[in-house]
Amino acid sequence: PQFVALPPAPGAPQRELSRPSVGPLEVNVGGRIFTASQSTLMKSPFLASLLGDELTDDMRDQDGRLFLDREPALFAEVIRLLRGYPTRSTADVPWADIKAEADFYQIPLALLQTPIKVILPPNVLSVRRLYVEEQPPAEVSQKGPDELCMYSLSDLPPDLKAQTSIVGVEVDRQTYGTKTVFLIRRQILQEAGFFFCHPEALWERTEKRCYHRHDSMELLIPKHPTEVCRETSEHYVCVTYAVPPVSPIVTAGSDVVGVLHPGRARGKE
């Protein structure tokens, strides 16, 4: 059977259809007027409950807006969070106050990621060492006249990985460290800034790590011929450069802790 909707009887009260409000809404917070879309404000369960109910007179200002007796500067940060902007902390409005106000408005936890303060370390010098393998494996007996059999107790230098031929990797079961044995041409080591240290039978290079912070502007760091590698993260960029030695250096492990004065290195004042 088919049903046909009949028109209302004459004189019957007309029911007005409820329509969702559209356009921006104004909220009075501590005497400061904020304008935002309804969808933004409704992300806060606290505000959604107020906007969905009839407001009493003490919760309206003289123009009929929702009135909240709260701190306007903190509410400005709450609106930023509701609009999807990342969290922040300023000298005037610290994050602890923003977080407390956001909890009052019941802001979803997904919008409350604690802001990160990046403190960059100073630019530091370090030493990378590659050792001569005095007892090369049998399979490297056919190496070229300019090739050296070396080993590294850490990762291979990033700028040399494509120019080396790895022979094998040994694992120290006591320290869980690794020893990577590889072949490389002497000329490549020299061009990469390595210098041969005769008594220790190793090749050594001084490297400098420089840190750059990401900010609101695009960070552009030109490529330099002495660049070894660069590490890019969300908050900073670290670029490592090979540094030609100008004086004898003092090291502690792989860290450079000082530079000897040329005169003092010869025992003179």
Side-chain angles (χ1 to χ4, degrees):
Q2 295 183 351
F3 297 91
V4 179
L6 299 177
Q14 300 289 330
R15 188 174 67 175
E16 183 177 351
L17 295 178
S18 60
R19 297 181 180 180
S21 59
V22 294
L25 299 178
E26 292 185 342
V27 179
N28 185 339
V29 181
R32 179 177 168 184
I33 307 303
F34 293 86
T35 304
S37 67
Q38 181 177 357
S39 60
T40 295
L41 297 174
M42 295 293 282
K43 294 178 184 178
S44 162
F46 177 84
L47 294 175
S49 63
L50 295 179
L51 296 173
D53 296 335
E54 290 293 333
L55 299 177
T56 58
D57 292 340
D58 63 338
M59 298 194 67
R60 292 183 181 274
D61 64 7
Q62 59 185 2
D63 295 320
R65 306 183 189 94
L66 170 63
F67 174 76
L68 298 173
D69 191 14
R70 304 290 294 184
E71 174 58 45
L74 293 176
F75 187 79
E77 297 300 320
V78 170
I79 285 292
R80 286 189 74 259
L81 297 175
L82 294 177
R83 288 170 174 163
Y85 289 99
T87 56
R88 66 179 182 181
S89 179
T90 65
D92 297 331
V93 188
W95 169 246
D97 294 346
I98 298 173
K99 176 63 167 59
E101 195 72 359
D103 291 340
F104 173 83
Y105 288 102
Q106 302 173 1
I107 303 301
L109 293 178
L111 303 177
L112 294 180
Q113 296 182 356
T114 303
I116 297 176
K117 182 178 182 180
V118 180
I119 301 178
L120 298 181
N123 298 336
V124 295
L125 292 175
S126 62
V127 173
R128 189 186 295 270
R129 296 185 176 95
L130 302 176
Y131 302 87
V132 177
E133 180 60 82
E134 298 179 352
Q135 297 179 348
E139 56 265 27
V140 301
S141 58
Q142 303 298 325
K143 64 184 179 68
D146 189 43
E147 283 187 319
L148 300 173
C149 185
M150 312 281 295
Y151 70 89
S152 174
L153 299 179
S154 59
D155 291 338
L156 291 178
D159 56 329
L160 299 184
K161 285 185 177 181
Q163 305 178 77
T164 59
S165 177
I166 297 179
V167 177
V169 178
E170 302 176 7
V171 179
D172 189 332
R173 297 184 180 275
Q174 295 182 349
T175 64
Y176 296 99
T178 59
K179 173 184 176 181
T180 304
V181 182
F182 60 95
L183 294 176
I184 190 171
R185 293 173 53 202
R186 183 188 304 268
Q187 180 182 353
I188 293 176
L189 284 174
Q190 294 171 340
E191 292 176 350
F194 282 88
F195 293 85
F196 181 65
C197 301
H198 180 69
E200 297 85 0
L202 59 85
W203 290 73
E204 192 173 85
R205 178 174 73 183
T206 304
E207 298 178 352
K208 184 176 183 179
R209 296 170 63 89
C210 301
Y211 294 87
H212 308 272
R213 189 194 316 274
H214 276 305
D215 52 24
S216 57
M217 301 180 63
E218 181 180 0
L219 182 61
L220 177 61
I221 305 175
K223 182 76 174 180
H224 192 272
T226 62
E227 180 176 326
V228 175
C229 62
R230 64 177 61 191
E231 174 190 353
T232 302
S233 72
E234 181 182 357
H235 304 287
Y236 69 90
V237 176
C238 177
V239 185
T240 302
Y241 300 96
V243 181
V246 294
S247 298
I249 58 176
V250 180
T251 62
S254 61
D255 298 326
V256 176
V257 296
V259 178
L260 291 177
H261 189 276
R264 295 182 179 179
R266 296 191 298 268
K268 299 179 181 181
E269 292 297 333

